[in-house]
Amino acid sequence: MGYRAPLTDIGFVLHHVLKVQDSDIPGYGDLDTGFTQAILEEAGKLCADMLAPLNAVGDREGCRLENGKVRVPSGFQQAFDALRQGGWTAIDCDVDHGGQGLPYILHTAVNETFVSANMALQMYQGLTHGAYSALRVHGTEAQKAYYLPKLATCEWTGTMNLTEPQCGTDLGLIRTKAEPQPDGSYLITGTKIFISAGDHEMASNIIHLVLAKAPGGGEGTRGISLFVVPKYLEDGSRNAVAPGKVEDKMGIHGNATCVMNYDGARGWLVGDLHKGMRAMFTMMNEARLGVALQGYAVAEAAYQSSVGYARERIQGRGVTSGPGPSEALIVHPDVRRMLMDQKAFVEGARALTYWGAVMLDRAHRLGDRAAEGVVSLLIPVMKGFLTDKGFEGAVTAQQVWGGHGYIEDNGVSQYVRDARIAMIYEGANGVQALDLVGRKLTAEGGKPVMDFFDILKSECCAHDDRPEMAEFTGALKVASKQMQAAAMVFAERGMKNPNDALAGSTDFLHLAGHVCLGLMWVRMARAALEMGGSFGAAKLVTARHYMTRALPACALHLARIEAGGASVMALAAEDF
């Protein structure tokens, strides 16, 4: 019952729902079915043969700090070498840097399979991709020439250093200092925590991107600058940065989450002085979409595990089966409910994430401001909703396994533990909800959210002449109106009582998430009707399940939003 890449479903989303091969985005003309299928099949083989078998190994062995060096689990070095040598780390990196220059959507599809197979291992290259992207936009020409080719191929890996012991989301409280030197470099001193892939021996160098405060920047985030701090300097000597601890975590044991100590480490400014937040946020849309992907990709692996168990585990007889021997779990309606809930979520989440990747490609490759506005609006929805529901899906998979799901040897509990972190890092989901309601809804005078409502309206109207689509578009119309009603509540109450609005922010994020998946299921239903056959029929059944069993949650979220924040804010702190 090991993980197998869902290549048929990935191909369906790419070529029948998004129709990437017909897009006007530069580079998409190469994405014909044969080309993407060949790449994804090879990725699937790598997952089945090497990455997935190491998932439990990484969970069992974890990472450890020995004599100043971080040791990764057995087999991780060989697997990482295979990823690097196969060019998998550089799919969408620039050709000039040793990459393949392919669109981000293809990187996203491949990345899904790697996360499902082994999330902890994939994170080493995932963090490197983020460092590559930040330096590509904000680095000097000399920095790009020096760092990007080795980051693209993961000869060197990268990290992002933001959090400190006394601050997480409130980065204005950071204490790490950057002292300017006569040669133009800076000496970085401070402690960073929760640094994923912070140290290891799988690459010949590790390039840390570090937020720190240089003199003259003022208080709060306005005084923050971004610095590139390599583990090894250009002359081969060790820089004054070292891991102080490898954290003992709930999950992703195979990834080295480190406390990093900077003791006058030499670093160089990236971007403008005191504008580090701007440089860091360049990569936030991509990074948060990547975490959204982690949410459903782990749920996909857990779903596959629960389907396999439900087909094999003999337990009772179906209520309509009549007399006879016991049957497999999958005959029971409540087990079917759990499997359908997982299936409908994962398939909808995949389509939403891929659509987000296409919008990022449109923004970056065509300069499409409207696409950039909509994807920026929806990024907190994708990150928050898909990771909340992804964790829920992993728990549901564990429930299908029953008592055996609680036993570590069977593996499904690892998915629960691994999925949990995605709700926390890269901006905790409550922060995503606050960002959505407090900033994104009013961004550009509300243009992106109005553009999104126009997308919903256009999608529904496009099928007015197709009665077979009415059951899907009708449900989406209702949910869309509920989302608009919720937005109006915020507009009417937000200025008078901000707490009243923000108390409903998580409900609004989930309401919007359901609407987004409803939109995806309308599009997938249309594609399924065009395809026909058993695959198309199964898609239509799953679409109906989402529309009738999941999308009605929008009414609950709207009722909570309309209730306001009185009960949330009424108690004094000492009464809790």
Side-chain angles (χ1 to χ4, degrees), residues 208-278:
H208 303 289
L209 292 186
V210 184
L211 288 182
K213 289 190 173 181
E219 298 298 319
T221 58
R222 289 172 295 181
I224 294 176
S225 300
L226 180 65
F227 299 90
V228 57
V229 186
K231 178 179 178 179
Y232 294 104
L233 298 171
E234 197 165 356
D235 62 6
S237 63
R238 178 69 186 259
N239 206 353
V241 52
K245 179 185 178 183
V246 174
E247 300 287 4
D248 184 10
K249 310 185 298 294
M250 176 180 173
I252 53 169
H253 294 159
N255 194 268
T257 304
C258 297
V259 174
M260 299 300 300
N261 295 321
Y262 294 83
D263 187 16
R266 195 166 293 276
W268 288 265
L269 182 67
V270 177
D272 296 330
L273 188 64
H274 309 314
K275 301 294 184 183
M277 295 301 294
R278 179 190 302 171

Side-chain angles (χ1 to χ4, degrees), residues 341 344-345 385 513-515 517-518 521 541-552:
D341 284 351
F345 163 71
F385 185 71
H514 279 299
V515 170
L517 261 63
W521 274 114
V541 169
T542 311
R544 291 188 188 100
H545 183 86
Y546 196 87
M547 295 305 197
T548 58
R549 303 280 302 209
L551 201 58

Side-chain angles (χ1 to χ4, degrees), residues 481-500:
K481 290 178 181 177
Q482 290 164 335
M483 182 178 172
Q484 292 178 58
M488 286 301 298
V489 171
F490 295 140
E492 293 168 359
R493 302 182 188 175
M495 294 299 291
K496 298 176 183 177
N497 187 353
N499 285 337
D500 202 39

Side-chain angles (χ1 to χ4, degrees), residues 146-357:
Y146 183 63
Y147 292 112
L148 295 186
K150 289 182 170 58
L151 288 172
T153 61
C154 277
E155 180 181 342
W156 295 350
T157 59
T159 70
M160 309 300 291
N161 287 236
L162 288 75
T163 305
E164 297 183 9
Q166 77 287 349
C167 71
T169 302
D170 190 357
L171 289 171
L173 298 177
I174 68 171
R175 296 173 184 163
T176 299
K177 299 296 184 183
E179 293 296 331
Q181 301 302 298
D183 64 357
S185 66
Y186 289 77
L187 296 184
I188 311 298
T189 301
T191 296
K192 297 289 185 177
I193 64 171
F194 304 156
I195 308 307
S196 300
D199 199 81
H200 55 85
E201 299 296 312
M202 294 194 297
S204 59
N205 203 353
I206 300 176
I207 310 306
H208 303 289
L209 292 186
V210 184
L211 288 182
K213 289 190 173 181
E219 298 298 319
T221 58
R222 289 172 295 181
I224 294 176
S225 300
L226 180 65
F227 299 90
V228 57
V229 186
K231 178 179 178 179
Y232 294 104
L233 298 171
E234 197 165 356
D235 62 6
S237 63
R238 178 69 186 259
N239 206 353
V241 52
K245 179 185 178 183
V246 174
E247 300 287 4
D248 184 10
K249 310 185 298 294
M250 176 180 173
I252 53 169
H253 294 159
N255 194 268
T257 304
C258 297
V259 174
M260 299 300 300
N261 295 321
Y262 294 83
D263 187 16
R266 195 166 293 276
W268 288 265
L269 182 67
V270 177
D272 296 330
L273 188 64
H274 309 314
K275 301 294 184 183
M277 295 301 294
R278 179 190 302 171
M280 187 63 73
F281 275 98
T282 295
M283 53 148 292
M284 282 301 179
N285 277 349
E286 176 188 315
R288 288 174 175 168
L289 187 68
V291 176
L293 182 148
Q294 288 179 336
Y296 84 81
V298 174
E300 165 69 40
Y303 164 67
Q304 290 188 21
S305 174
S306 66
V307 169
Y309 186 77
R311 287 171 173 164
E312 296 176 5
R313 175 69 171 176
I314 303 301
Q315 187 72 48
R317 288 188 61 75
V319 67
T320 60
S321 296
S326 293
E327 298 177 287
L329 274 175
I330 203 166
V331 304
H332 300 295
D334 197 57
V335 173
R336 289 291 190 102
R337 173 190 62 81
M338 290 188 283
L339 295 177
M340 286 300 297
D341 284 351
Q342 293 177 75
K343 178 179 173 64
F345 163 71
V346 168
E347 293 177 10
R350 174 178 296 117
L352 178 60
T353 303
Y354 288 15
W355 181 47

